[in-house]
Structure formats: C-alpha cells, structure tokens
Amino acid sequence: MSKLSIVIPCYNEQESIPLFYPVVEKVVKKMPVKVEYWFVNDGSVDNTLKKLRKLHQEHPEEVHYISFSRNFGKESGLYAGLEATTGDYVVVMDVDLQDPPEYLPEMYQIILSGEYDCVGMRRTDRTGEAKFKSFLSDKFYDVINKISDTKIVNGARDYRMMTRQMVNAVLSLKEYNRFSKGIFNWVGFKTKYLPYKNVQRVAGTTDWSTWKLFKYAIEGITDFSEVPLSIATWVGGVSAFLSIVGLIFVIVRRLMEPSSSAFGWASMVCIMLLLGGLQLMCIGIVGKYIGKIYMQTKNRPIYIVKEKR
Ligand code: UDP
Ligand code: MG
C-alpha cells in the first residue's frame, strides 16, 4: 500500500487544528493509502503546540509534529515538513480548511494514473477578499509572468499533491529566500490544476495583510527574475539619449541667441531632482539583490527545530 504524507504549516492555529484533523481523517480513511501527518508549528504564540502534542498522543503512529524555535515563515515550515515526510506521495495543505480535503481522492486518482507528477488546486474566484487586494494579486501575476521564465498560475495555491521525485527536487533547492509558488514551478514536472471555488477559513484570522502580501510579491519577483536589475540600464540609456538632445538644443540656442544662457534654472533643478531620484531607485533595486546574496552567503539554516515527534 502506498503512503501519503500530509504537510501542514501552522502559525497560531489553536482553533483550526482540532477542526482540521477529523475532517481530513474522514476523507483519507476512504482512500487506499497509509497516511502520515507532519504538522509544523511555526513559532506560534498561542496553544498550537499543546494541541499538536495532544493530537500526537492520541494518534502516535500517524500524527507527527515539528516545532520551530521561533516564527520562520510558512515557506520554512513547508521545507521542514517536506524534509520530514517519508511517503510516496506528499500533500501540502493549510490547516484552516481553505484547502478543501474532499479533493484529495481525485488528486490521488490523477497522480496514480502516472500522467502527472503533481496535482495542484487553483481557485477560480476570490470571494471574501478585499477588492484592492485581489487587484494587486492579479497585477502581481501579470508582472511576474511577463518578466520571469518561471510561470506562476494565477490563483494557484500551495495546496498540492506531489510524487516523491518532485518533493526531492523541491528539497534540492536549498535557497534561503524561499518563494514556494515559484519553486514548485521552477523544478518542472507535469502539473495539473483543478479549479475550485474559494473557501473561507474555519477559524482564526489570516496573517497576510495587503502590505505583507505586497512585500511577498516583491520577494517573488526578485527571486525569480533579473529584469528589475536592468531597469538601471534602461533608465540610464533613455536619460543619456535625452541629454544629448538637450545638449544640442542648448548649443544651438546659445549660437543663435547669445544672451539666452542665463535661462533655465527651474528646468535644471527639475532635471537634477529627477535624475537623483532615479539613481537612488536603481541603487535600491541593486541593493535588494545584494541583500539576497548577503543572506544566502551567510548560509543560515532555513529553520531551527525545538521539538520533533
Ligand atoms: N502560516 C505559517 N507561518 C506563518 C504564517 C502562516 O505556517 O508565518 C500557515 C498558517 O497557519 C496556515 C497557512 O500558513 O496554515 C496559510 O496561512 P493563512 O491562512 O494565514 O494565509 P491565506 O490562506 O490567507 O493565504
Ligand atoms: Mg488560509
């Protein structure tokens, strides 16, 4: 019998965990698989760890958990969970039941057919989400798909079932700045996306403010594209061209009308401020990439475990 591992990152999810387990258990019981759960407590400050300990005591064979020494972020949680799994197939899902477990049998059927290495879920709407947030999300997908070779499907969630081979490929990417949406696509393999309608979380609140999502989007873009780096080249090229035009204009005017040379103080200030701003912006972009190199060269671990059962 094949083994299915389920990886569940949890951050302050004391209410969701007791709701999650029975619902998923009910679904997987009907599947012809042996199941193991790997909950990852990502430095929660509530009773998440207590709930996980209790669940482990009740089901010591199936339920396992890893508890971090602090909050390392969902990406690190996913990595730790995937690393711990031993199953032939691995599912990644949220604990808030926004990733509907009733699709697991269908995902398993598709992956068993051998035609796909991965079955992901893609939500077709964003009901319950702020309009502005949805708008920004859509724009993010437009931008990243234009400037990066790694294509990211709009609405695709992290909820997916993968073969062991693909999981090992994901684990072989040991980068410190982890953008899972990109990594899952970067490793290749054949993925099928099943569409579904958005579901609200069962309990607790989301930790993702619009600002946090925006920063996450910037991380994604700079992790998977070098296009922002060439902005400096383009801005520089265009302003060099414009200054040649300006130079010719100034020389010609000086020759034709010698008394005009004292004009133009206001335009001078505008040009200086504009160029100064553009230069700082370009340095900022370069700095972003250097920061990433800096973090990577430190070679810090992706997560630190305090307790593992
Ligand atoms: N999560 C985590 N570490 C964090 C933030 C979130 O492990 O720092 C987990 C969280 O417990 C949940 C999943 O990641 O299981 C998705 O988080 P959330 O539901 O807040 O995000 P959304 O579904 O709104 O994208
Ligand atoms: Mg959620």
Side-chain angles (χ1 to χ4, degrees):
M1 194 147 77
S2 294
K3 188 170 179 182
L4 181 70
S5 305
I6 306 180
V7 172
I8 314 111
C10 310
Y11 177 55
N12 295 343
E13 301 279 10
Q14 56 183 14
E15 288 99 16
S16 310
I17 292 167
L19 300 170
F20 172 87
Y21 184 75
V23 176
V24 175
E25 195 54 21
K26 212 174 132 199
V27 176
V28 293
K29 262 219 176 91
K30 293 190 197 123
M31 293 166 63
V33 287
K34 200 172 154 339
V35 177
E36 70 168 4
Y37 294 83
W38 278 101
F39 289 90
V40 182
N41 172 31
D42 185 11
S44 303
V45 292
D46 65 356
N47 289 320
T48 297
L49 182 56
K50 279 194 191 133
K51 300 273 175 199
L52 292 180
R53 281 187 188 133
K54 186 164 162 267
L55 208 56
H56 171 69
Q57 271 159 14
E58 288 164 7
H59 315 273
E61 289 295 313
E62 299 85 28
V63 177
H64 305 276
Y65 64 85
I66 301 169
S67 186
F68 287 175
S69 60
R70 64 165 170 88
N71 178 253
F72 278 86
K74 183 182 175 185
E75 308 289 336
S76 302
L78 284 182
Y79 191 85
L82 290 178
E83 231 178 4
T85 57
T86 56
D88 309 291
Y89 303 100
V90 178
V91 174
V92 169
M93 65 197 296
D94 289 359
V95 72
D96 56 14
L97 292 174
Q98 275 192 301
D99 297 334
E102 57 270 24
Y103 286 97
L104 286 171
E106 191 181 346
M107 291 163 104
Y108 186 63
Q109 279 311 318
I110 294 171
I111 216 160
L112 261 199
S113 74
E115 214 184 310
Y116 294 94
D117 307 283
C118 176
V119 185
M121 298 297 293
R122 183 173 65 81
R123 52 179 181 176
T124 48
D125 66 328
R126 291 175 175 275
T127 30
E129 201 180 70
K131 280 250 156 53
F132 182 60
K133 214 164 161 181
S134 308
F135 171 78
L136 279 187
S137 298
D138 281 341
K139 282 289 152 276
F140 163 71
Y141 287 106
D142 285 354
V143 169
I144 196 157
N145 285 328
K146 264 203 190 91
I147 68 177
S148 167
D149 295 335
T150 306
K151 299 293 170 236
I152 298 178
V153 178
N154 191 350
R157 296 192 45 96
D158 288 340
Y159 183 24
R160 57 187 63 226
M161 187 182 289
M162 294 173 275
T163 59
R164 170 55 42 190
Q165 193 186 23
M166 179 160 166
V167 171
N168 289 343
V170 169
L171 288 173
S172 72
L173 269 71
K174 300 196 187 304
E175 57 208 67
Y176 183 78
N177 307 293
R178 303 191 70 78
F179 184 69
S180 291
K181 282 184 197 309
I183 290 175
F184 287 140
N185 287 282
W186 188 91
V187 295
F189 296 103
K190 228 172 142 190
T191 302
K192 185 184 172 77
Y193 284 100
L194 301 177
Y196 79 107
K197 275 214 165 335
N198 195 24
V199 185
Q200 307 287 322
R201 61 169 29 251
V202 277
T205 48
T206 178
D207 191 39
W208 293 91
S209 61
T210 307
W211 175 238
K212 215 172 153 193
L213 271 181
F214 180 74
K215 285 200 301 193
Y216 184 65
I218 298 285
E219 293 303 318
I221 289 171
T222 47
D223 276 352
F224 280 90
S225 171
E226 287 163 15
V227 169
L229 276 178
S230 44
I231 288 178
T233 318
W234 284 103
V235 170
V238 170
S239 52
F241 174 76
L242 291 178
S243 23
I244 290 172
V245 175
L247 193 69
I248 294 171
F249 172 75
V250 170
I251 292 173
V252 171
R253 193 175 60 170
R254 179 85 172 90
L255 291 177
M256 290 170 70
E257 207 181 321
S259 65
S260 67
S261 59
F263 289 160
W265 183 85
S267 54
M268 176 83 117
V269 169
C270 289
I271 291 168
M272 272 170 57
L273 290 179
L274 175 74
L275 284 182
L278 289 175
Q279 276 169 6
L280 284 180
M281 188 192 82
C282 294
I283 292 175
I285 294 174
V286 176
K288 181 86 200 151
Y289 283 84
I290 293 179
K292 293 204 171 235
I293 301 170
Y294 175 61
M295 288 314 287
Q296 185 64 46
T297 50
K298 286 183 181 214
N299 241 330
R300 287 185 178 166
I302 297 169
Y303 60 89
I304 292 171
V305 177
K306 186 168 171 207
E307 192 178 320
K308 188 174 173 184
R309 294 275 183 287

